[in-house]
């Protein structure tokens, strides 16, 4: 079965491509490389010994997408391609809405034209907004995220829901990721942010490798166990396996029509201070940090209720926090400059 993976050269995409190939799926990656490098796919090719078809192109370009659907017999699409920096999205919101929302509509139109029904979307815990209590459950009403990035995810979920109502055959899954960290255990592929990392773990790893002087911990006076923010961190390989589980679920449920959402998380909140400590323990690398003022828009704590994915997709995040730290460090220390 051939799967089109948009954004497949990126962080989560490359780990998912590897897992798909190892699970017997054929993969076509479609990526404009705006936040990634083709080197990730070369490494996946080396690790799996399997061929990946790669097409450089933009999801906002229907002509390019059409060519891909004409060239390959695509049966399902896993859609990672998006811009994802929360802070940047408040500076250039139109670019985020164009890329993430218009780009997805463009992709769905081309899929419809080619009669491809199976669609798995990279959503995010951010869709629960500020209104909902933790843990987040899929039955909750979607919230109002504070950033254009978060809003773009809510909008795409709405697009999928409306499209499913109008279509007698669309089969959509929205995977709401919590906080993926870590890297493949080979240390060959991992997260390679361009510029200053927006996420905690790449920042911590860059301090450890000497590329950054100090970590800023934004706020130590939240109403949490130790005052710092708490998030539900999961290993990126667990997350990658969640996509294969979702695809297997679509294949096993051929009567399914509509859209289903699944949280992919561990079900546990871990604080920023605890992450720093876990990294230091796992790697024996001290992490210098300052406590900085709270950042606008940061929620104190959230984590997933992952029961639905556990029971229906038969999926569970199994890798430990220590495992996540060791794999992050293996990737960062073997590749201090990422894929460069
Ligand atoms: N990393 C996280 O913490 C996280 C959490 C929740 C959801 N997500 C979502 O998961 C997806 C993947 O995230 P990631 O961390 O791997 O990000 P990433 O930036 O590493 O990967 C995204 C990929 O999409 C490509 N891309 C972007 N716009 C494109 C376009 N118009 N056409 C073609 N390719 C395009 C980029 O070049 C990149 O390779 C995104 O949709 C993101 O919003 C990520």
């Amino acid at each position: 079965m051939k799967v089109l993976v948009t954004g497949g050269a990126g962080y989560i995409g490359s780990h998912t491509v590897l897992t798909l190939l190892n699970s017997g799926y054929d993969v076509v990656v479609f990526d404009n490389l705006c936040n990634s490098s083709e080197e990730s796919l070369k490494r996946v090719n080396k690790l799996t010994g399997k061929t990946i078809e790669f097409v450089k192109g933009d999801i906002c370009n229907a002509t390019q997408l059409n060519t891909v659907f004409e060239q390959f017999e695509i049966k399902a699409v896993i859609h990672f391609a998006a811009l994802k920096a929360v802070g940047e999205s408040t500076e250039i919101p139109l670019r985020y809405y164009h890329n993430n929302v218009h780009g997805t509509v463009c992709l769905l139109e081309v899929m419809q034209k080619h009669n491809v029904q199976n669609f798995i979307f990279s959503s995010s815990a951010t869709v629960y907004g500020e209104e909902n209590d933790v843990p987040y459950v899929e039955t909750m009403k979607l919230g109002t995220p504070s950033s254009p990035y978060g809003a773009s995810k809510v909008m795409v979920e709405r697009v999928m829901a409306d499209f499913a109502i109008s279509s007698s055959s669309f089969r959509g899954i929205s995977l709401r990721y919590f906080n993926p960290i870590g890297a493949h255990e080979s240390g060959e592929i991992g997260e390679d942010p361009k510029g200053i990392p927006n996420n905690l773990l790449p920042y911590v790893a860059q301090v450890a490798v000497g590329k950054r002087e100090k970590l800023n911990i934004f706020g130590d006076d939240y109403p949490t166990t130790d005052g710092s923010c708490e998030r539900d961190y999961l290993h990126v390989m667990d997350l990658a396996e969640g996509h294969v589980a979702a695809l297997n679920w679509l294949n096993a449920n051929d009567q399914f029509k509509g859209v289903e959402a699944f949280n992919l998380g561990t079900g546990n909140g871990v604080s920023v201070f605890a992450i720093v400590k876990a990294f230091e323990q796992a790697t024996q690398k001290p992490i210098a940090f300052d406590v900085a003022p709270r950042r606008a828009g940061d929620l104190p704590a959230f984590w997933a209720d992952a029961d639905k994915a556990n029971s229906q997709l038969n999926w569970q995040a199994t890798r430990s926090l220590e495992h996540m730290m060791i794999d992050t460090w293996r990737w960062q220390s073997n590749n201090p400059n990422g894929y460069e």
Side-chain angles (χ1 to χ4, degrees):
M1 180 178 179
K2 211 170 262 299
V3 184
L4 179 70
V5 182
T6 74
Y11 171 46
I12 306 170
S14 55
H15 290 78
T16 303
V17 168
L18 180 143
T19 309
L20 285 166
L21 292 170
N22 284 339
S23 306
Y25 289 100
D26 291 334
V27 174
V28 180
V29 168
F30 185 83
D31 198 308
N32 66 2
L33 303 180
C34 69
N35 196 37
S36 56
S37 146
E38 205 183 333
E39 176 64 19
S40 65
L41 298 177
K42 292 188 180 142
R43 296 195 185 182
V44 170
N45 172 261
K46 201 174 88 185
L47 288 166
T48 59
K50 300 200 173 142
T51 315
I52 306 158
E53 307 281 357
F54 173 64
V55 179
K56 186 170 177 200
D58 197 302
I59 52 164
C60 300
N61 185 325
T63 310
Q64 289 175 348
L65 280 172
N66 258 310
T67 309
V68 173
F69 282 84
E70 276 158 16
Q71 193 181 349
F72 301 101
E73 212 182 308
I74 306 293
K75 297 285 184 207
V77 175
I78 303 184
H79 177 38
F80 293 103
L83 298 174
K84 64 161 185 178
V86 173
E88 184 186 65
S89 77
T90 62
E91 288 154 25
I92 45 170
L94 299 184
R95 186 142 177 254
Y96 270 69
Y97 290 124
H98 180 80
N99 197 72
N100 296 3
V101 183
H102 165 74
T104 305
V105 172
C106 185
L107 173 63
L108 288 169
E109 282 174 340
V110 176
M111 284 176 62
Q112 186 182 32
K113 185 171 160 203
H114 292 270
N115 216 11
V116 176
Q117 314 298 349
N118 297 309
F119 183 70
I120 297 177
F121 171 61
S122 296
S123 189
S124 164
T126 188
V127 299
Y128 292 103
E130 298 182 15
E131 297 89 334
N132 287 301
D133 291 331
V134 290
Y136 293 152
V137 190
E138 292 88 344
T139 47
M140 288 171 165
K141 268 185 92 167
L142 295 189
T144 318
S146 55
S147 73
Y149 165 74
S152 78
K153 295 292 178 191
V154 173
M155 286 178 194
V156 170
E157 289 216 10
R158 175 68 196 259
V159 167
M160 288 169 69
D162 288 342
F163 182 42
I165 292 168
S166 75
S167 154
S168 57
S169 47
F170 180 63
R171 292 151 50 83
I173 290 190
S174 186
L175 296 178
R176 296 178 181 157
Y177 313 158
F178 282 68
N179 292 69
I181 58 173
H184 185 253
E185 61 185 13
S186 63
E188 289 286 314
I189 57 170
E191 187 167 8
D192 180 22
K194 295 206 160 119
I196 301 171
N198 292 300
N199 291 341
L200 176 62
L201 248 284
Y203 207 109
V204 168
Q206 290 195 5
V207 172
V209 86
K211 275 184 83 174
R212 316 247 160 230
E213 197 194 333
K214 267 184 193 172
L215 171 72
N216 276 322
I217 295 181
F218 298 105
D220 65 352
D221 56 354
Y222 284 100
T224 57
T225 43
D226 59 20
S228 64
C229 289
E230 289 173 358
R231 297 288 179 266
D232 184 341
Y233 296 97
L234 80 160
H235 197 293
V236 68
M237 287 303 295
D238 282 327
L239 184 58
E241 287 164 9
H243 292 77
V244 175
L247 198 52
N248 291 343
W249 185 87
L250 280 174
N251 288 335
N253 290 281
D254 52 0
Q255 298 304 311
F256 166 72
K257 306 271 182 292
V259 181
E260 281 290 334
F262 294 96
N263 288 338
L264 296 182
T266 63
N268 297 309
V270 176
S271 77
V272 179
F273 286 124
I275 285 283
V276 171
K277 198 180 279 174
F279 187 89
E280 290 180 330
Q281 270 169 2
T283 65
Q284 300 303 312
K285 290 273 162 193
I287 300 299
F289 67 83
D290 279 335
V291 173
R294 290 181 182 196
R295 248 183 342 194
D298 274 349
L299 297 180
F302 60 83
W303 57 89
D305 178 323
D307 284 356
K308 186 176 173 191
N310 296 168
S311 61
Q312 294 192 32
L313 299 182
N314 200 16
W315 171 90
Q316 196 150 20
T318 57
R319 293 164 177 87
S320 68
L321 196 58
E322 187 189 10
H323 200 145
M324 300 179 213
M325 300 301 144
I326 289 172
D327 289 342
T328 300
W329 181 235
R330 191 181 298 109
W331 153 254
Q332 184 70 61
S333 51
N334 289 353
N335 305 271
N337 297 314
Y339 289 116
E340 265 174 33

